[in-house]
Amino acid sequence: MITNLPPLNAVRAFAAAARHQSFSRAAEELHVSHSAVSRHVKLLEERLGVLLIERRTRQSLLTPAGRVFYEQVSEALTQIANAASALTRSAAQRKVTINVRPSFAVRWLIPRLPDFMARHPDIKPDVVTSTRPPDPSRETFDVVIRRGHAGWSPHVQPTVLLEDDLLLVAAPSLLRSVPLENVHDLARHTLLSGRTRSSDWQDWAEHAGIEPLNNLPTLQFDHMHLVLQAAVDGLGVALCPVSLLGRDLSNGRLTCPLPSLRLPLARYYYGVSRDAVAETQVFVDWLFSQIQQDAAAATSRIDAGF
């Protein structure tokens, strides 16, 4: 029987305060008061007989002993959370938790999920959107997908999933009224951009060998799926990763006026959690089958300017 465990609520409060280096932010995460976090940490320090956190006016810093303790308990808390999650999932319908960025979810994954659900009706895809670098100590997932592999946790191995390029797109109705036959015609258009991809126009102009497009009218949106909706509605021309175009080219909602000016982008990578359920491999295999099916059709549509 384990008899020397410290109070787990106190350990949880300490871990949150250590991770944020702030009692206030820890309180927000745990949905308790600042004083409650402070009391829990003080109780833990008294129980252990060592100072764990040095309190300062605007920041709480780990002591050397606190740093060692945090590294050990954070891993233990993650294991507890993963064990509870696995037990819950085993008692319910088989589920795969998929962590992706919002635009990738809206523009690539969700439109294709009916195919997965039809092929695997016994597996429930649970889509979670996040913009954080993949780290299972912060978020629970079975498989995570991100562009590039910078900032990934050492506990998740990134594997290449999808190549991608940046293309110029616009609504056919807009181009009928204001043609765009070469890069110089951009001067007659409004440029649409997303805050999450704010350097795309500059990078694309450099790749195309033209002067920066700094003086043209622009509209900016929070995410790429909003940029694309604005393009479909004829508000301007947009630069979009091929991966996020969905069916807008094939169904004629958008067209690619300059298909030869493609800017290669960082690849998409996927990673699988060490505690992933067995069904995760089924989902990964399905991802690759979708990519293979889409590749030939997408290339022919883009080359044809659709």
Side-chain angles (χ1 to χ4, degrees):
M1 179 177 178
I2 300 175
T3 58
N4 60 343
L5 278 177
L8 293 184
N9 281 340
V11 173
R12 185 166 173 246
F14 161 74
R19 183 168 57 255
H20 293 295
Q21 295 188 14
S22 167
F23 281 29
S24 297
R25 293 178 63 186
E28 292 177 4
E29 176 185 316
L30 300 175
H31 304 290
V32 298
S33 66
H34 179 286
S35 60
V37 173
S38 180
R39 286 196 302 272
H40 276 306
V41 173
K42 183 177 180 181
L43 173 65
L44 184 61
E45 290 174 329
E46 291 175 350
R47 173 69 178 268
L48 299 176
V50 63
L51 183 67
L52 298 174
I53 295 180
E54 180 183 351
R55 284 77 162 172
R56 296 187 178 181
T57 303
R58 296 184 179 276
Q59 192 177 30
S60 302
L61 299 179
L62 287 172
T63 64
R67 188 175 299 108
V68 172
F69 189 62
Y70 171 67
E71 290 175 356
Q72 295 174 341
V73 300
S74 62
E75 183 175 351
L77 289 173
T78 298
Q79 290 176 347
I80 293 172
N82 290 339
S85 178
L87 184 62
T88 301
R89 284 185 295 207
S90 66
Q93 181 183 21
R94 294 193 297 166
K95 180 176 70 173
V96 176
T97 301
I98 310 139
N99 186 301
V100 294
R101 291 181 65 94
S103 290
F104 189 85
V106 172
R107 299 294 306 182
W108 196 94
L109 181 58
I110 291 175
R112 291 168 169 79
L113 277 183
D115 179 84
F116 177 83
M117 297 173 71
R119 294 174 183 271
H120 306 284
D122 56 334
I123 302 176
K124 177 184 176 183
D126 182 19
V127 180
V128 177
T129 61
S130 172
T131 58
R132 290 179 170 184
D135 189 342
S137 69
R138 287 195 304 253
E139 300 174 309
T140 299
F141 57 80
D142 294 308
V143 61
V144 61
I145 300 172
R146 290 290 188 276
R147 187 187 297 281
H149 51 76
W152 284 55
S153 164
H155 302 298
V156 183
Q157 177 62 44
T159 303
V160 175
L161 176 66
L162 180 64
E163 304 283 349
D164 208 1
D165 295 307
L166 196 66
L167 287 179
L168 189 70
V169 295
S173 59
L174 175 65
L175 299 186
R176 283 194 294 269
S177 59
V178 186
L180 204 171
E181 298 177 354
N182 55 64
V183 292
H184 303 292
D185 288 341
L186 284 171
R188 306 168 60 195
H189 288 274
T190 297
L191 308 185
L192 308 177
S193 67
R195 291 184 176 87
T196 55
R197 303 194 57 84
S198 58
S199 67
D200 278 355
W201 280 107
Q202 178 181 342
D203 296 341
W204 183 85
E206 182 178 347
H207 178 73
I210 62 175
E211 294 295 322
L213 306 170
N214 299 329
N215 298 322
L216 299 186
T218 62
L219 287 176
Q220 192 174 64
F221 301 86
D222 284 337
H223 297 289
M224 279 306 303
H225 56 275
L226 302 177
V227 173
L228 284 167
Q229 186 59 54
V232 168
D233 291 337
L235 296 182
V237 296
L239 286 171
C240 180
V242 174
S243 62
L244 303 184
L245 282 173
R247 298 185 178 89
D248 284 339
L249 289 180
S250 61
N251 63 22
R253 282 157 53 93
L254 291 173
T255 186
C256 178
L258 302 174
S260 62
L261 294 179
R262 303 166 64 114
L263 174 62
L265 295 174
R267 297 164 168 171
Y268 279 100
Y269 291 77
Y270 78 93
V272 175
S273 169
R274 291 185 298 184
D275 300 309
V277 297
E279 290 77 15
T280 303
Q281 188 58 50
V282 176
F283 181 79
V284 170
D285 292 341
W286 173 81
L287 284 177
F288 280 106
S289 71
Q290 288 291 298
I291 291 168
Q292 292 169 359
Q293 291 174 17
D294 292 344
T299 299
S300 62
R301 289 197 302 268
I302 293 166
D303 291 341
F306 296 126

